[in-house]
Amino acid sequence: MGFDSERQFEQIGDSSSGGISAEKEPLIKENHSPENYSVLAAIPPFLFPALGALLFGYEIGATSCATISIKSPTLSGISWYDLSSVDVGIITSGSLYGALIGSAVAFSVADIIGRRKELILAAFLYLVGAIVTAVAPVFSVLIIGRVTYGIGIGLTMHAAPMYIAETAPSQIRGRMISLKEFSTVLGMVGGYGIGSLWVTVISGWRYMYATILPVPVIMGIGMFWLPASPRWLLLRALQGKSNVENLQQAAIRSLRRLRGPAIADSAAEQVNEILADLAFVGEDKEATFGELFRGKCLKALTIAGGLVLFQQITGQPSVLYYAPSILQTAGFSAAADATRISILLGLLKLVMTGVSVIVIDRLGRRPLLLGGVSGMVISLFLLGSYYIFYNNVPAVAVAALLLYVGCYQLSFGPIGWLMISEIFPLKLRGRGISLAVLINFGANALVTFAFSPLKDLLGAGVLFCGFGVICVLSLFFIYFIVPETKGLTLEEIEAKCL
């Protein structure tokens, strides 16, 4: 089925100038038919981007073990093992600084090179960063490796949810993007587990980073094999970035590969429908930076930025930081080993993220957010009460900790990333997600760095109760601001929710 771009755009028209109106012939259908797809064809477009998330999680787990190994006079295998607390902090946060750089870079290049090439670049930076870190002869080279790896994280956390959202069928989009969060947690558990195996070996910290080297290679090859996002191709066609007919044919081929045999005969028709929907919601106009802060783009940025901000300032980094001391207070024998504690919490996060993956496209985003964050409110006030009133009842702290981790992984953990990937209009999706990722990593750094001085100033009990109050505020934000996007196509989300 061919496509005449001029005739199609004339048909679509501008409602303000007498074109086809939504009342006459709605291009965004009220009840669209489910998208046909092959399960086997739908797996690779999720799997290879999700490897980037797995590498992000692995870095968190492995680094917590690597800092133990690298400070050991007998096991570090280096002469510069006598590191100060500041040096260790720089090692730990080096990837975070790199992620901030990567997010800033993504703001400028994402819509130019596309999601697929951005993920290929991320895989290359992961590989280089891991190699440099593993062979670092001196401290400064180690930090260069950590920052390089972190830039890969920033690019991945920007491009992976976007690529998955734009290629997944709408009826399983929530599940696919939530599985990306599952991959992050799986990587974290793997990092803790592999780190615990190498932590007692001489130069074990080098092996921790070297062990993961095959994964970015597989990720890069996989992304090279996958097609570009059909929606990105169609956006370039609408905005006249290249030959419209060639881009439209490329989008048809891409959609056929992404959906498999189930869509072979209807790919051209679906591409035409997507083009019409994109033009109907104004995606054919060139985006400007100022548009991010006006109209529906501002609403999308408010929703996405608010979710990732609350994701961090409701205490997630701090509660996990405090977990070992809570379990030690409770008298768990395994609490003497911080690595085993981390694996225990990681497994809980993994299970609860799995539950979220199963139910998210059935229950929707808002119910999970409201229910999960309500549980976080209860757990944080319980945790604060433990340190203020009930410090002789450690079971309260343990119950609060487990409740918090479980509820976070049902709500903010996966759904924050899901919502930012689907809420932005296509022409500003790259820049919008980049800003949201910057807010996420910036807030993470702020909470992480401010936790210790605030704990000393206010006490742990008051601090956790303060996080609980912020959680209550986030409930109001979710209830009044965040829309439900379950089952909607990306074009329908733009037309109906913004």
Side-chain angles (χ1 to χ4, degrees):
M1 180 176 179
F3 176 73
D4 185 337
S5 60
E6 292 183 4
R7 181 172 61 83
Q8 182 76 22
F9 294 153
E10 287 171 7
Q11 272 191 327
I12 293 165
D14 186 339
S15 59
S16 64
S17 60
I20 294 174
S21 68
E23 284 121 14
K24 287 182 183 177
E25 188 177 337
L27 294 171
I28 306 294
K29 301 173 184 177
E30 287 297 323
N31 294 297
H32 65 86
S33 57
E35 300 174 57
N36 294 325
Y37 66 94
S38 162
V39 173
L40 288 178
I43 292 174
F46 148 76
L47 180 62
F48 293 114
L51 288 179
L54 184 140
L55 286 163
F56 173 37
Y58 180 87
E59 184 272 337
I60 296 172
T63 299
S64 69
C65 300
T67 52
I68 297 172
S69 171
I70 204 169
K71 291 188 299 180
S72 170
T74 56
L75 297 176
S76 64
I78 53 177
S79 59
W80 39 276
Y81 62 84
D82 189 18
L83 300 171
S84 68
S85 58
V86 173
D87 292 334
V88 174
I90 293 173
I91 293 173
T92 304
S93 60
S95 60
L96 178 59
Y97 296 130
L100 288 169
I101 296 170
S103 302
V105 170
F107 183 89
S108 302
V109 305
D111 287 328
I112 298 173
I113 68 173
R115 295 73 164 115
R116 171 176 163 269
K117 289 181 180 177
E118 187 179 350
L119 285 166
I120 293 172
L121 177 59
F124 174 74
L125 290 169
Y126 274 139
L127 181 63
V128 172
I131 291 173
V132 172
T133 302
V135 303
V138 293
F139 179 77
S140 58
V141 175
L142 174 66
I143 301 306
I144 291 172
R146 302 283 297 129
V147 172
T148 303
Y149 194 98
I151 296 173
I153 291 173
L155 294 177
T156 293
M157 301 312 285
H158 173 264
M162 198 161 36
Y163 185 86
I164 296 170
E166 291 179 1
T167 58
S170 58
Q171 58 264 47
I172 61 168
R173 186 178 63 244
R175 191 172 302 164
M176 292 291 99
I177 299 175
S178 298
L179 275 169
K180 181 198 72 68
E181 174 68 13
F182 184 87
S183 299
T184 302
V185 179
L186 182 64
M188 197 181 305
V189 175
Y192 290 134
I194 292 173
S196 67
L197 295 177
W198 290 116
V199 76
T200 56
V201 176
I202 295 175
S203 296
W205 62 274
R206 297 188 188 274
Y207 300 121
M208 293 176 201
Y209 293 109
T211 300
I212 205 67
L213 288 178
V215 179
V217 174
I218 296 170
M219 175 187 170
I221 293 172
M223 290 310 306
F224 184 81
W225 172 76
L226 283 172
S229 160
R231 283 181 168 84
W232 177 74
L233 291 169
L234 294 177
L235 176 65
R236 293 180 67 79
L238 279 172
Q239 295 181 347
K241 300 293 186 183
S242 186
N243 181 275
V244 173
E245 186 68 24
N246 290 342
L247 288 171
Q248 189 245 355
Q249 291 300 322
I252 292 172
R253 292 192 297 270
S254 172
L255 199 61
R256 283 175 176 159
R257 287 188 60 191
L258 293 166
R259 297 288 188 272
I263 200 180
D265 297 330
S266 60
E269 181 181 351
Q270 287 200 26
V271 163
N272 286 345
E273 289 179 359
I274 294 171
L275 266 172
D277 289 347
L278 290 174
F280 179 73
V281 294
E283 296 287 2
D284 54 320
K285 302 176 181 66
E286 188 74 31
T288 63
F289 177 76
E291 280 188 71
L292 271 172
F293 308 98
R294 295 198 304 267
K296 61 185 180 183
C297 295
L298 176 60
K299 184 175 181 181
L301 184 60
T302 301
I303 294 167
L307 282 173
V308 295
L309 180 65
F310 280 120
Q311 189 186 60
Q312 298 300 326
I313 65 174
T314 47
Q316 188 260 159
S318 304
V319 172
L320 293 182
Y321 170 82
Y322 228 61
S325 65
I326 292 172
L327 292 176
Q328 286 173 357
T329 303
F332 279 68
S333 59
D337 186 341
T339 301
R340 293 179 187 174
I341 296 169
S342 300
I343 293 173
L344 173 66
L345 288 174
L347 289 173
L348 175 62
K349 285 165 68 72
L350 198 63
V351 170
M352 297 309 296
T353 307
V355 172
S356 176
V357 167
I358 293 169
V359 303
I360 194 165
D361 282 320
R362 188 182 312 155
L363 298 181
R365 285 67 160 148
R366 278 171 56 86
L368 285 179
L369 279 171
L370 292 169
V373 176
S374 297
M376 289 169 61
V377 171
I378 295 171
S379 65
L380 285 167
F381 280 117
L382 272 177
L383 204 52
S385 299
Y386 165 74
Y387 284 101
I388 298 173
F389 304 113
Y390 305 114
N391 51 16
N392 59 342
V393 188
V396 172
V398 175
L401 175 65
L402 298 178
L403 179 64
Y404 179 90
V405 171
C407 289
Y408 179 86
Q409 290 306 133
L410 274 177
S411 54
F412 277 138
I415 299 176
W417 292 106
L418 167 60
M419 291 293 292
I420 70 170
S421 69
E422 59 186 12
I423 200 66
F424 285 102
L426 178 59
K427 64 182 176 182
L428 281 166
R429 188 170 295 146
R431 294 180 181 179
I433 293 179
S434 176
L435 284 179
V437 173
L438 272 171
I439 292 170
N440 178 274
F441 285 119
N444 184 303
L446 180 64
V447 172
T448 301
F449 297 148
F451 176 75
S452 291
L454 285 176
K455 180 173 70 70
D456 293 339
L457 178 66
L458 302 174
V462 174
L463 187 56
F464 285 127
C465 287
F467 286 139
V469 171
I470 297 174
C471 259
V472 172
L473 295 177
S474 74
L475 282 173
F476 285 100
F477 174 82
I478 294 164
Y479 186 81
F480 290 107
I481 303 296
V482 177
E484 180 56 74
T485 59
K486 179 186 72 170
L488 299 177
T489 66
L490 296 177
E491 293 71 41
E492 287 174 322
I493 291 171
E494 181 175 352
K496 297 178 180 180
C497 299
L498 297 179

